[in-house]
Amino acid sequence: MIASPEEVVEAAAYTLLRGERLDTSTLAAELGISRVTLYRRVGNRDAILGEALWVMARGALLIATEVHDARPPGAEPPRRLRLLEIAEEFRHLVSIAPALQRLIAEEPTTTLRIVTDPRGRVQPRLVEAYTDLFQRDVDELGLVPQVPLPVLAFAVVRLAESFLYSDVMVARAPDLAAATTVLDALVTGVIGLSSS
């Protein structure tokens, strides 16, 4: 039986999580398929990396959401949006993910191109997930954003990328505390939520 696209992506993600370089020939051999079949199933190496990185990002976002939702009521600062709490935890999880850190160290240009591509496999899905999280906050709190939620979600994701990957992009150490301050100020201003 030929490996499904989902099985290819899961195997690729597992390869990265084991701390190994993703080699399409090795991956195809592990799955018992040819490189041509691998390409037909998921695409080239960048496409496979993108899908695998999204699997890992989606997992981190799920964990961040579960961490937030497991807190007792009132555990977060008053009037702070659920999305901001989840996004802060997500940034933390991404910043300490060994597989991503190794990949960035070994292939910085490729990794950043794949992770930050607005037409790629990772960023658009993260923007969509953030849009859904924003929508929940807006619906629950009756807020009236000044821009469409997908635009706000895109801005939050892009700014977060700038902070998370600043060591590679501009040779500046990542500052997640500053990211939280800037993103909270941006979102509360745009979404019509007073921080007081």
Side-chain angles (χ1 to χ4, degrees):
M1 185 171 174
I2 295 177
S4 69
E6 293 78 16
E7 290 170 325
V8 171
V9 171
E10 286 175 17
Y14 187 63
T15 297
L16 295 176
L17 290 170
R18 287 192 315 255
E20 298 172 10
R21 184 179 189 281
L22 182 64
D23 178 83
T24 54
S25 295
T26 303
L27 183 63
E30 286 175 5
L31 294 167
I33 58 177
S34 69
R35 284 185 66 199
V36 172
T37 301
L38 184 75
Y39 181 84
R40 286 184 186 143
R41 290 282 176 196
V42 183
N44 63 15
R45 182 175 185 269
D46 280 7
I48 296 168
L49 267 174
E51 291 293 342
L53 287 168
W54 170 244
V55 165
M56 295 188 310
R58 184 181 61 208
L61 189 58
L62 180 61
I63 290 168
T65 303
E66 290 173 351
V67 164
H68 175 273
D69 292 349
R71 294 177 185 164
E76 66 270 351
R79 310 250 324 137
R80 188 167 192 225
L81 295 176
R82 178 174 178 267
L83 172 275
L84 292 173
E85 291 281 329
I86 292 169
E88 182 178 14
E89 180 66 21
F90 174 75
R91 288 190 301 275
H92 169 71
L93 292 171
V94 168
S95 74
I96 62 170
L100 181 60
Q101 297 312 308
R102 184 201 56 76
L103 194 58
I104 288 173
E106 293 177 5
E107 302 182 60
T109 304
T110 299
T111 305
L112 289 186
R113 183 182 71 246
I114 291 169
V115 170
T116 64
D117 182 355
R119 292 171 300 281
R121 312 286 174 113
V122 180
Q123 190 192 88
R125 291 167 168 164
L126 189 56
V127 169
E128 184 178 343
Y130 275 30
T131 301
D132 292 343
L133 289 167
F134 270 130
Q135 189 65 59
R136 176 174 164 171
D137 284 336
V138 165
D139 292 346
E140 287 182 358
L141 299 172
L143 301 170
V144 181
Q146 297 175 26
V147 297
L149 292 179
V151 172
L152 183 57
F154 177 74
V156 168
V157 169
R158 288 295 287 165
L159 277 171
E161 289 169 351
S162 298
F163 283 98
L164 270 171
Y165 310 122
S166 61
D167 53 341
V168 178
M169 292 177 168
V170 293
R172 176 183 290 164
D175 186 345
L176 297 186
T180 296
T181 301
V182 170
L183 291 168
D184 281 18
L186 168 72
V187 170
T188 55
V190 170
I191 211 161
L193 179 68
S194 169
S195 58
S196 58

